[in-house]
Amino acid sequence: MATKLLMAKSPAEAMDFKTAAAAFLAGGTEINRLGSHIAADADILISLKKCSGLNGIDADGNFVTIGSMCTFQQLAESDKVPEYLKEAARFMASRTKRNMATIGGNIAAMRTDSYLLPVLFAVCARVDVLTAEGKQNICINSFMEAAQAGEEMLIIAVIVPEKIKVVSKRYANTAQSHAVLTMSSAITEKGFTLAAAVKNCGIFRFRTFEDMIRKDPDISEEDALAFFKGADSLKISDDMFGSEEYKRYLMGVTAYDFCRKLVGKEV
């Protein structure tokens, strides 16, 4: 359990403080969450609240650069943030939590009911990170792989495309409940993309399905359902949020709906 709090004045100082026994503290909604293992496993918390340069939002007409300490409420209110990211931020129904939770913290937590990761994967977002070797700019997928491998990184900024067509859907019993499925799709320079966060299962980018749509934009609903039903590489479990069959069905019908909205005739 954390017994010491360090106040970093800059990202570089925060990285200097970072050890295996320390954890970064951003908005606190994850670390302070009941049952969170982060604070329980850390001896030291490194607060980022006084770090300079982490809460700005800049747009250049093509991309928007968002400081990692920007809150969900800042995302929702900024006239520089694309509407698709505002929508994802508003998936967090509590304004109190939106005023605390940060974009960097939500990414770093890598929760399988993440509000933001599906849309960030779908739009091929990039992140500026600080490591022991210095500053790097990497894609969101590479960040997740490196974080899962235990690499120490501090998110400095998130970069997303400004003018892009995106659709998203979140399935939960109530606005305040954990989502069983959050799914996003976009049309990028490489074509159709699809990503999802499936509660207790993982964050997924469906590249094989994307290739199918690029070859045949008029895929049928039956084919979409068959793909997700038979996708053995997806490890989907039964739990209190729904059966494996139910989750695969939701992914199939949602993916089909996204295809119609982005690349085919909406039905």
Side-chain angles (χ1 to χ4, degrees):
M1 181 177 180
T3 57
K4 188 175 183 180
L5 176 66
L6 301 178
M7 303 296 294
K9 295 180 181 179
S10 69
E13 186 174 58
M15 279 303 297
D16 286 341
F17 288 153
K18 187 71 174 74
T19 66
F24 293 124
L25 173 63
T29 55
E30 179 62 21
I31 283 184
N32 293 323
R33 177 180 59 83
L34 183 65
S36 173
H37 68 87
I38 299 176
D41 294 344
D43 296 327
I44 301 169
L45 296 181
I46 305 166
S47 175
L48 306 175
K49 289 193 175 184
K50 293 187 177 180
C51 283
S52 58
L54 297 183
N55 60 358
I57 301 176
D58 298 303
D60 64 10
N62 295 307
F63 295 92
V64 180
T65 301
I66 303 165
S68 62
M69 285 295 287
C70 284
T71 67
F72 276 47
Q73 192 62 30
Q74 286 176 271
L75 299 181
E77 293 179 349
S78 173
D79 58 4
K80 296 179 182 179
V81 172
E83 183 56 39
Y84 66 80
L85 193 55
K86 290 174 179 280
E87 179 186 20
R90 289 192 293 264
F91 284 155
M92 182 179 282
S94 167
R95 188 184 179 102
T96 300
K97 288 180 64 178
R98 290 201 304 268
N99 278 321
M100 297 173 60
T102 65
I103 185 171
N106 192 255
I107 294 170
M110 292 189 294
R111 286 176 59 104
T112 57
D113 55 0
S114 172
Y115 298 100
L116 301 182
L117 282 176
V119 74
L120 293 176
F121 268 74
V123 304
C124 304
R126 301 188 69 83
V127 290
D128 286 336
V129 298
L130 192 62
T131 70
E133 287 72 41
K135 184 178 177 181
Q136 299 179 32
N137 178 271
I138 58 178
C139 68
I140 191 72
N141 187 71
S142 295
F143 171 83
M144 189 171 79
E145 291 176 352
Q148 290 174 334
E151 185 172 341
E152 298 287 5
M153 296 175 290
L154 173 62
I155 301 173
I156 299 173
V158 182
I159 301 96
V160 298
E162 188 171 358
K163 299 173 182 176
I164 189 171
K165 191 173 182 181
V166 182
V167 289
S168 297
K169 182 78 173 179
R170 181 178 186 270
Y171 293 93
N173 289 333
T174 70
Q176 298 282 5
S177 302
H178 295 297
V180 60
L181 172 68
T182 305
M183 209 164 189
S184 295
S185 185
I187 296 294
T188 70
E189 60 181 13
K190 295 182 180 181
F192 178 85
T193 62
L194 182 68
V198 187
K199 181 67 175 174
N200 294 332
C201 300
I203 309 294
F204 304 100
R205 171 86 182 272
F206 303 107
R207 297 183 186 274
T208 302
F209 188 81
E210 294 171 2
D211 291 338
M212 287 174 53
I213 301 306
R214 289 166 192 152
K215 293 175 183 176
D216 181 16
D218 295 320
I219 188 173
S220 68
E221 184 174 19
E222 290 74 17
D223 287 340
L225 287 169
F227 173 85
F228 285 95
K229 182 179 180 179
D232 294 334
S233 60
L234 292 177
K235 304 305 179 184
I236 307 298
S237 59
D238 296 334
D239 56 30
M240 64 179 290
F241 296 95
S243 67
E244 175 184 357
E245 182 179 7
Y246 170 68
K247 294 173 186 176
R248 289 181 182 273
Y249 172 78
L250 281 185
M251 284 188 278
V253 295
T254 306
Y256 172 73
D257 179 56
F258 287 175
C259 291
R260 300 284 62 78
K261 290 178 177 177
L262 293 177
V263 299
K265 294 180 180 180
E266 187 172 351
V267 295

